[in-house]
Amino acid sequence: MISVDEALAHLFSLITPLDSEVVPLGLASGRVLAADAIATRDQPPFAASAMDGYGVLSQGAAPGAQYDVIGEAAAGHGFDGAVGPGQAVRIFTGAPVPAGVDRVIIQEDITRHKDRITVMDSLAGGPHIRPLGADFKVGDTFGAPRVLSPSDVALLAAMNIAQVTVRRKPDIALISTGDELVMPGEAPGPDQIIASNTFGLKALLEAHGARARILPIARDTRTSLEAAFELARNADLVVTIGGASVGDHDLVGDVAADLGVKRAFYKVKMRPGKPLMAGQFGDAAMVGLPGNPVSAMVCGHVFLRPMLRAMLGFEAVRSSRRTARLAIDIGANGPREHYMRAQVTHGEITPEPRQDSALLSVLADANALMIRPPDDAARKAGDMIDYLAM
Ligand code: AMP
Ligand code: MG
């Protein structure tokens, strides 16, 4: 048996970052920026008023001071002239600050009669001017790789970047295998269950930037499996689920080998999750996951997510961990790395009482996979422990 890290190193050797494509900014949220975006303008492009009020010279601006209003500056319509001592310009939020003005007095601090204004005693601090380039400047770099958030999209739009270069979405083909499986919504026979793994994995992978295709269920026959593999041929990653053990009906390894998959089959020292199979299927990477519903999802978090990130141009490393304080005492771990279904609330982690790897209801109840290293000693409530957020 090999460790989780050794398994991951092997899986990373099967993939390379995908090529990139250009998409309109409106479709960029959630995509991975593949090339640095460089600002070609300053924001704001001019010193701008931050408030509605009157633009004046700051020197002499005090309660009782009086000014003649000589014009107006609004957003999109600046004031062309210069402003001298004793003069003011009516100014609105977002308007360019006229020459000579270095302070905006908010309108609440002014009384006005015709074109004459007087500063009131309430005069508060200033200058209520956003300096040129305060947000970003020409040449500022927005670095790749990076998953574009809604805030990032807003920033790129402000930079006048209408199209961005992003990684192509990895195309992942998901194949359920088993005579006992039917699709959700179908009427299962008495010996049948619903193929849940492909749906869970599709959701997981798509939440992290892939396009996942659920292929028709492969039956436990060579022809059926071969047909499913054929449909997956142009994918970037082919994931099979089930049929990867050593039972009489576990044909995935044999069929994959016949189709030219250079196979590494191994058991991984983890719970739940062993066995795992991997290889190269034409240009695609191929991973065979265990069929147990919870095992398949845990392997999705532990193996497929980091593979997906590497395909999207991020560093090939384990999924990032967080730590939380154990809420209860727990016993020693065995020789395998254990991913325990757990709940994290307010920085405290509580493992679920039932850890059977067939229980999807427990997985759905959990929001974390608590990581127990191999041979981890017993832990006390209050100890800090690592987990993967789900
Ligand atoms: P296998 O690895 O094919 O022996 O499957 C192990 C267990 O997982 C069996 O109980 C299967 O019925 C179940 N299983 C396999 N594939 C799926 C799937 N796609 N969805 C739900 N359960 C599955
Ligand atoms: Mg099976």
Side-chain angles (χ1 to χ4, degrees):
M1 287 213 274
I2 63 170
S3 70
V4 169
D5 282 321
E6 287 166 319
L8 262 176
H10 183 70
L11 294 173
F12 287 142
S13 76
L14 298 173
I15 52 174
T16 45
L18 299 186
D19 44 352
S20 55
E21 63 187 11
V22 175
V23 297
L25 188 60
L27 298 178
S29 184
R31 301 296 299 271
V32 176
L33 192 68
D36 293 352
I38 316 264
T40 54
R41 49 185 279 124
D42 301 315
Q43 176 63 20
F46 41 78
S49 180
M51 298 295 262
D52 294 332
Y54 292 84
V56 299
L57 222 81
S58 58
Q59 201 178 8
Q66 296 202 323
Y67 300 91
D68 292 322
V69 181
I70 61 165
E72 180 179 297
H77 309 278
F79 175 76
D80 276 342
V83 179
Q87 295 182 321
V89 159
R90 178 74 172 120
I91 198 164
F92 299 97
T93 305
V97 170
V101 169
D102 61 358
R103 157 146 206 191
V104 171
I105 299 177
I106 61 172
Q107 61 195 33
E108 290 81 352
D109 288 343
I110 289 288
T111 52
R112 179 166 178 168
H113 296 289
K114 304 245 172 78
D115 284 338
R116 190 99 179 132
I117 58 170
T118 306
V119 180
M120 302 196 300
D121 289 344
S122 58
L123 179 66
H128 304 307
I129 290 174
R130 301 176 181 140
L132 183 155
D135 197 0
F136 54 82
K137 293 203 165 63
V138 171
D140 279 1
T141 300
F142 187 73
R146 176 178 174 116
V147 179
L148 293 175
S149 69
S151 310
D152 294 340
V153 171
L155 175 59
L156 290 167
M159 288 177 165
N160 197 19
I161 292 171
Q163 308 190 102
V164 284
T165 304
V166 295
R167 289 281 166 197
R168 182 164 63 75
K169 280 193 174 201
D171 173 18
I172 302 184
L174 299 169
I175 304 173
S176 275
T177 72
D179 287 347
E180 75 280 29
L181 303 175
V182 299
M183 292 291 262
E186 287 180 28
D191 300 335
Q192 291 188 303
I193 61 165
I194 314 298
S196 54
N197 292 340
T198 33
F199 284 80
L201 289 170
K202 175 180 164 72
L204 173 67
L205 295 167
E206 293 197 335
H208 292 93
R211 194 171 73 86
R213 288 185 278 143
I214 296 177
L215 298 186
I217 294 166
R219 299 305 164 195
D220 290 320
T221 66
R222 281 174 170 273
T223 27
S224 183
L225 265 172
E226 279 162 11
F229 267 103
E230 210 43 58
L231 289 173
R233 204 166 260 295
N234 47 15
D236 299 302
L237 171 63
V238 182
V239 178
T240 62
I241 297 140
S245 279
V246 290
D248 291 351
H249 303 285
D250 294 330
L251 301 171
V252 171
D254 289 350
V255 169
D258 289 352
L259 291 173
V261 175
K262 274 204 260 122
R263 176 161 61 129
F265 177 82
Y266 42 77
K267 289 189 166 169
V268 182
K269 253 201 280 180
M270 71 183 279
R271 277 171 77 194
K274 56 141 204 181
L276 194 76
M277 191 175 78
Q280 197 83 44
F281 175 56
D283 290 335
M286 185 251 157
V287 177
L289 296 184
N292 247 319
V294 174
S295 306
M297 289 302 281
V298 169
C299 287
H301 286 282
V302 176
F303 297 115
L304 300 184
R305 265 178 67 184
M307 289 178 82
L308 178 56
R309 279 181 67 80
M311 283 191 269
L312 288 168
F314 292 100
E315 202 189 344
V317 290
R318 270 180 178 245
S319 294
S320 57
R321 298 160 176 230
R322 302 177 188 178
T323 51
R325 185 169 293 102
L326 252 184
I328 56 168
D329 293 351
I330 50 174
N333 188 31
R336 294 191 271 154
E337 187 159 304
H338 194 180
Y339 288 85
M340 300 179 78
R341 278 67 74 202
Q343 277 191 27
V344 177
T345 35
H346 307 300
E348 276 219 326
I349 191 163
T350 314
E352 298 278 355
R354 293 189 302 162
Q355 293 290 329
D356 183 325
S357 71
L359 305 178
L360 281 176
S361 53
V362 174
L363 184 72
D365 197 46
N367 62 2
L369 293 173
M370 187 174 94
I371 308 171
R372 305 288 315 271
D375 302 313
D376 193 29
R379 303 286 204 105
K380 289 265 176 241
D383 284 359
M384 297 305 286
I385 199 153
D386 288 353
Y387 69 94
L388 297 182
M390 288 198 292

